[in-house]
Amino acid sequence: PWLAVSGAERCHLGITPYFALPLDKHADVIAEIVIGPSQHRELAESAVTSLLSRAEFRNVKVSHSDTPLRVW
């Protein structure tokens, strides 16, 4: 499945470019996802695990970065 559409999205930090990769959900191509600093850690983790579940990816470790959140 495709997890994103190639292009760019506008967000509060400006334009965020990204590209989509075709991933085989049965090939264990993702071992771990590290969530960056966030004011809403639990919400971020819930979003990632929900996306993985909908895409039928199993056995993916989800963790949080040790980097502290910097609020300007």
Side-chain angles (χ1 to χ4, degrees), residues 32-36 40-42 44-45 62-67:
E32 180 179 11
I33 294 177
V34 179
I35 300 170
H40 307 285
R41 289 174 57 99
E42 294 81 15
E45 184 173 341
V62 177
S63 61
H64 292 271
S65 169
D66 292 331
T67 304

Side-chain angles (χ1 to χ4, degrees), residues 10-68:
R10 184 173 289 281
C11 73
H12 71 283
L13 296 175
I15 296 176
T16 304
Y18 62 90
F19 60 95
L21 297 172
L23 300 175
D24 181 355
K25 62 187 171 194
H26 303 291
D28 292 331
V29 294
I30 300 175
E32 180 179 11
I33 294 177
V34 179
I35 300 170
S38 172
Q39 289 181 316
H40 307 285
R41 289 174 57 99
E42 294 81 15
L43 184 59
E45 184 173 341
S46 177
V48 169
T49 55
S50 177
L51 175 65
L52 289 169
S53 177
R54 281 184 301 194
E56 299 180 27
F57 282 92
R58 306 284 183 251
N59 303 318
V60 178
K61 179 181 177 184
V62 177
S63 61
H64 292 271
S65 169
D66 292 331
T67 304

